[in-house]
């Protein structure tokens, strides 16, 4: 099954200050700048095996890190920059329209760096429903509990998106209910596009400008999206994290996605989060939607410290003890001043560099 990873990393200078990617975004067609100045994105090609994905991801990152070292820059695997001065959005028409529609809350997204995992479309309805049910797996790689220095959730990034950026447009930025057909999913997309377009027109945005910048395929920022051009099902919930963590997550997610093509996927009626949901050789059983949402909430707020989340993810096929989320390692304070945030960014950049070095050695052997 073809799988790929897109990850956003903060770029810093040697002192830990956020800076522009500059030449790092020009290394290849798979490296680019993001919509805010200090964010850099790397995309792997679709890979038929996890081994191929690992090789591609590590080789690309190694090249980027070599260039970064030459220009005194580093990459930081944190879901938010912890605490920093105001971040500027790069000027573009799409962002201008989003800000006009969503309002000031849209600015929360400027402080978020995440990971998108793409899996090849096959049994799409089952894939959508299973990814919805597995959203709590974001807890496995939570990487920053802080926003503007304040501790707000084990995944501050997920909190910013779900509770702040799209608070007024929950259907555009939160988990959608399970679906019976792919057609139902597309009808929801059409409804969200119409809602967004109408809101833009009410803000005085020209209709042609909206139509030029948005389509039903990209008008929502929900944790799960269908991407027709790739074509993939995309899971967008995880934070930016260490490459080894993301590869482990992609591997275990792909295993579940592969298994659902060879077994039955059902939704059970048990609403007790201590018992609901499991992946076995006999089939995949998803929890009720409300339970899946509760587990995703707990994953966002408490991460793997939630016993319900940890045991649920084990039942769903994840080796929870193999994950060591960065959030759990840097958590513990209610407030982190900017000087300490710079030091944490430098330390996180060092860990990423060591992680890639270790991965490169394993790939070579």
């Amino acid at each position: 099954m073809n799988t790929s990873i897109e990850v956003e990393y903060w770029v810093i200078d040697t002192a830990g200050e956020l800076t522009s990617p500059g030449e790092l975004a020009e290394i290849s067609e798979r490296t680019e700048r993001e919509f805010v100045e200090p964010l850099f994105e790397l995309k792997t090609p679709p890979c038929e095996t996890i081994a191929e994905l690992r090789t591609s991801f590590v080789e690309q990152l190694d090249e980027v890190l070599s260039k970064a070292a030459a220009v005194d820059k580093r990459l930081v695997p944190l879901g938010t920059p912890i605490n920093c001065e105001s971040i500027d959005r790069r000027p573009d028409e799409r962002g201008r329209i989003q800000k006009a529609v969503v309002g000031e809350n849209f600015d929360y997204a400027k402080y978020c760096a995440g990971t998108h995992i793409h899996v090849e479309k096959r049994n799409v309805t089952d894939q959508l429903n299973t990814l919805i049910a597995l959203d709590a797996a974001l807890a496995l790689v939570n990487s920053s509990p802080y926003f503007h220095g304040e501790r707000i959730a084990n995944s501050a990034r997920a909190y910013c998106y779900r509770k702040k950026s799209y608070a007024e447009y929950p259907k555009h930025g939160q988990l959608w209910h399970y679906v019976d057909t792919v057609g139902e999913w597309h009808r929801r997309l059409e409804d969200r596009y119409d809602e967004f377009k109408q809101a833009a027109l009410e803000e005085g945005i020209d209709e042609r400008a909206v139509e030029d910048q948005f389509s039903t395929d990209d008008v929502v920022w929900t944790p799960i999206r269908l991407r027709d051009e790739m074509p993939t099902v995309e899971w967008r919930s995880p934070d930016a994290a260490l490459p080894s963590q993301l590869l482990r997550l992609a591997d275990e997610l792909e295993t579940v996605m592969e298994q659902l093509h060879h077994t039955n996927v059902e939704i059970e009626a048990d609403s007790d989060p201590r018992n609901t949901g499991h992946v076995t050789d006999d089939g995949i059983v998803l929890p009720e939607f409300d339970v899946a949402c509760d587990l995703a909430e707990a994953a966002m707020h408490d991460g793997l410290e939630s016993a319900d989340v940890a045991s649920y993810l084990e039942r769903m096929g994840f080796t929870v003890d193999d994950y060591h989320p960065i959030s759990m390692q840097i958590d513990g304070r209610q407030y982190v001043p900017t000087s300490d945030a710079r030091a944490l960014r430098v330390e996180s950049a060092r860990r990423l560099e060591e992680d890639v070095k270790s991965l490169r050695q394993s790939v070579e052997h």
Side-chain angles (χ1 to χ4, degrees):
M1 173 186 291
N2 282 330
T3 307
S4 62
I5 293 174
E6 300 174 0
V7 60
E8 300 161 342
Y9 286 132
W10 302 104
V11 182
I12 58 170
D13 61 21
T14 54
E17 294 284 1
L18 297 173
T19 188
S20 169
E23 299 172 54
L24 303 185
E26 301 169 0
I27 291 176
S28 75
E29 72 277 5
R30 298 194 176 277
T31 57
E32 60 186 50
R33 301 176 69 179
E34 261 292 341
F35 75 105
V36 293
E37 289 295 344
L39 264 187
F40 161 88
E41 183 175 52
L42 184 148
K43 303 178 180 181
T44 73
C47 298
E48 292 185 359
T49 67
I50 294 299
E52 181 185 340
L53 179 67
R54 181 179 294 108
T55 299
S56 174
F57 194 29
V58 172
E59 288 179 350
Q60 289 186 75
L61 271 172
D62 192 46
E63 183 179 5
V64 172
L65 290 178
S66 294
K67 181 64 177 179
V71 294
D72 293 328
K73 294 182 180 183
R74 307 178 81 175
L75 302 184
V76 179
L78 296 173
T80 72
I82 300 177
N83 197 1
C84 62
E85 302 298 327
S86 178
I87 291 177
D88 293 328
R89 182 183 294 108
R90 296 175 63 208
D92 73 298
E93 182 68 358
R94 182 179 170 88
R96 182 186 73 84
I97 296 172
Q98 287 173 296
K99 179 68 176 288
V101 172
V102 178
E104 294 299 321
N105 279 349
F106 185 59
D107 285 341
Y108 280 92
K110 296 192 302 183
Y111 301 87
C112 298
T115 300
H116 304 164
I117 299 177
H118 292 260
V119 293
E120 178 185 343
K121 284 183 181 178
R122 290 189 182 174
N123 297 10
V124 178
T125 300
D126 285 343
Q127 288 177 304
L128 288 170
N129 290 340
T130 302
L131 281 175
I132 291 168
L134 290 178
D135 199 55
L138 65 90
L140 298 167
V141 295
N142 286 350
S143 60
S144 174
Y146 303 107
F147 175 75
H148 285 333
E150 295 284 348
R151 191 202 185 282
I152 60 173
N154 197 261
S155 173
R157 169 185 171 270
Y159 184 91
C160 285
Y161 268 116
R162 301 184 188 200
K163 303 299 182 181
K164 295 297 184 179
S165 282
Y166 298 102
E168 301 300 318
Y169 291 88
K171 293 180 180 179
H172 285 255
Q174 298 183 16
L175 275 179
W176 284 0
H177 203 286
Y178 297 139
V179 291
D180 294 323
T181 66
V182 178
E184 181 182 352
W185 189 274
H186 284 295
R187 286 190 293 274
R188 291 178 189 177
L189 285 171
E190 291 167 0
D191 290 343
R192 301 295 81 77
Y193 178 79
D194 291 342
E195 289 171 3
F196 183 86
K197 183 176 179 180
Q198 182 58 39
L201 295 177
E202 291 173 1
E203 293 296 329
I205 306 297
D206 181 73
E207 182 174 5
R208 178 60 64 84
V210 178
E211 293 172 349
D212 286 345
Q213 296 294 324
F214 298 90
S215 68
T216 55
D217 187 46
D218 62 11
V219 76
V220 296
W221 297 268
T222 49
I224 292 129
R225 285 171 58 177
L226 286 182
R227 304 304 298 268
D228 289 339
E229 75 275 11
M230 304 188 75
T232 62
V233 186
E234 177 187 19
W235 183 42
R236 304 162 57 84
S237 296
D239 287 353
L242 292 171
S244 61
Q245 295 174 324
L246 300 181
L247 286 166
R248 180 175 290 112
L249 181 62
D251 187 1
E252 297 197 315
L253 185 72
E254 191 268 350
T255 297
V256 178
M257 291 288 102
E258 181 65 40
Q259 186 168 345
L260 68 81
H261 301 303
H262 308 288
T263 190
N264 293 323
V265 178
E266 301 176 351
I267 300 169
E268 70 178 351
D270 190 342
S271 60
D272 186 342
R274 295 170 297 180
N275 303 317
T276 188
H278 59 263
V279 174
T280 68
D281 292 338
D282 296 327
I284 296 175
V285 178
L286 311 180
E288 291 182 335
F289 176 70
D290 288 346
V291 175
C293 288
D294 290 343
L295 288 164
E297 282 278 310
M300 176 180 68
H301 285 287
D302 304 319
L304 295 182
E305 293 183 359
S306 165
D308 285 344
V309 169
S311 61
Y312 169 70
L313 293 177
E314 285 283 353
R315 293 195 303 274
M316 297 301 287
F318 295 90
T319 52
V320 173
D321 288 344
D322 288 345
Y323 292 87
H324 306 283
I326 296 172
S327 275
M328 296 178 70
Q329 300 173 42
I330 66 174
D331 205 349
R333 289 186 277 181
Q334 192 55 43
Y335 182 78
V336 179
T338 54
S339 58
D340 288 359
R342 286 194 296 272
L344 282 170
R345 290 196 292 268
V346 170
E347 171 60 18
S348 297
R350 182 193 64 77
R351 290 187 62 193
L352 182 143
E353 290 155 10
E354 290 183 352
D355 193 62
V356 172
K357 180 180 179 181
S358 177
L359 286 168
R360 188 182 69 237
Q361 290 172 346
S362 68
V363 167
E364 290 172 351
H365 292 95

